[in-house]
Amino acid sequence: MRTDTVKAKELLFSGKHTCVLCKGERVYTSNQRGVAPLISWLDSKTDLKGFSAADKVVGKAAAFLYVLLGTKEVYADIISEPALETLGKFGISCHYNKKVKAIRNRADTGFCPMETSVLAMEEPEEALKAIIRKLEELKNGN
């Protein structure tokens, strides 16, 4: 694990954050849930190329967003098999605490809607459109 990844992982757990990205002295943290921080950083065009990330939960949707952000390495406390495959396909090194078949939704009544929305996708740009569509649907109560 790279030094930046170790630092991000330490900050993830010590600061009670949901997501931390590090590169040298530059650090970004978030307490937002789900893919919200990643979408926010993409929307603001924050330059995170070459950063290492530590995240509580990484499903396939988050994996695609990490690809689009240009991260080099990801540590996930919990990661889905599809996310692990996606990160590997795009050359992002990954470490994790626990691997699961798929990410469950917050109510634990089924699979995460974000992961489900991109499960059959292979390209990050296509996945981003599906993620944004799903976020809109969820926001509108659908």
Side-chain angles (χ1 to χ4, degrees), residues 33-40 43 61 65 106 113-114 117 127-142:
R33 294 172 65 172
V35 297
L38 306 179
I39 291 288
S40 178
D43 285 347
L65 297 174
R106 290 185 187 137
M114 302 313 298
S117 72
L128 177 60
K129 290 175 187 170
I131 292 165
I132 291 168
R133 255 191 322 273
K134 181 53 77 176
L135 287 171
E136 281 298 316
E137 286 175 17
L138 294 171
K139 186 172 122 184
N140 294 326
N142 297 335

Side-chain angles (χ1 to χ4, degrees), residues 71-95:
T71 54
K72 274 194 170 191
E73 189 167 61
V74 173
Y75 167 82
D77 194 39
I78 299 170
I79 192 165
S80 72
E81 289 175 2
L84 195 55
E85 290 170 20
T86 299
L87 293 170
K89 175 183 172 185
F90 289 95
I92 298 174
S93 177
C94 186
H95 308 274

Side-chain angles (χ1 to χ4, degrees), residues 56 58 75-80 95-100 103:
K56 295 275 180 159
V58 177
Y75 167 82
D77 194 39
I78 299 170
I79 192 165
S80 72
H95 308 274
Y96 56 89
N97 178 43
K98 181 179 179 183
K99 180 174 67 169
V100 296
I103 302 301

Side-chain angles (χ1 to χ4, degrees), residues 11-77:
L11 289 169
L12 178 74
F13 293 110
S14 69
K16 303 218 186 309
H17 302 294
T18 56
C19 183
V20 177
L21 282 94
C22 295
K23 183 178 180 184
E25 296 302 311
R26 295 174 58 201
V27 176
Y28 293 89
T29 63
S30 180
N31 295 325
Q32 293 179 293
R33 294 172 65 172
V35 297
L38 306 179
I39 291 288
S40 178
W41 287 320
L42 271 172
D43 285 347
S44 68
K45 299 191 183 343
T46 304
D47 182 9
L48 296 171
K49 285 181 182 51
F51 274 69
S52 291
D55 200 324
K56 295 275 180 159
V57 179
V58 177
K60 190 170 181 178
F64 276 126
L65 297 174
Y66 280 121
V67 170
L68 291 168
L69 287 167
T71 54
K72 274 194 170 191
E73 189 167 61
V74 173
Y75 167 82
D77 194 39

